[in-house]
Amino acid sequence: MSKAKAKAKQVKGKLKEAAGKTADDRSMQAEGRGEQLRGKAQETAARAGERVKKSPNK
């Protein structure tokens, strides 16, 4: 997954969490936080992959 898609997942999670707060829906809030965390993990993995590709010691 690209960093851009991972960032989009984080934003989507943030919006879902905010909607859950507005609707007082704890389940939706938790889903939003989960999406944010998955997006952060995927972004970290994408960065690590880029570093490996750029590494001169392949």
Side-chain angles (χ1 to χ4, degrees), residues 39-50:
K40 286 179 184 179
Q42 290 168 347
E43 182 180 12
T44 300
R47 284 184 183 169
E50 288 176 359

Side-chain angles (χ1 to χ4, degrees), residues 1-55:
M1 178 174 278
S2 70
K3 287 192 302 184
K5 287 184 180 181
K7 271 292 190 200
K9 185 170 277 203
Q10 290 176 46
V11 170
K12 181 181 171 187
K14 194 73 157 170
L15 291 171
K16 188 178 275 190
E17 182 182 8
K21 284 182 182 179
T22 301
D24 197 29
D25 184 343
R26 290 181 187 231
S27 177
M28 187 182 288
Q29 290 177 41
E31 285 179 29
R33 284 191 297 272
E35 282 188 33
Q36 289 176 62
L37 290 173
R38 282 188 293 279
K40 286 179 184 179
Q42 290 168 347
E43 182 180 12
T44 300
R47 284 184 183 169
E50 288 176 359
R51 286 185 183 149
V52 168
K53 287 180 185 177
K54 290 180 182 179
S55 175

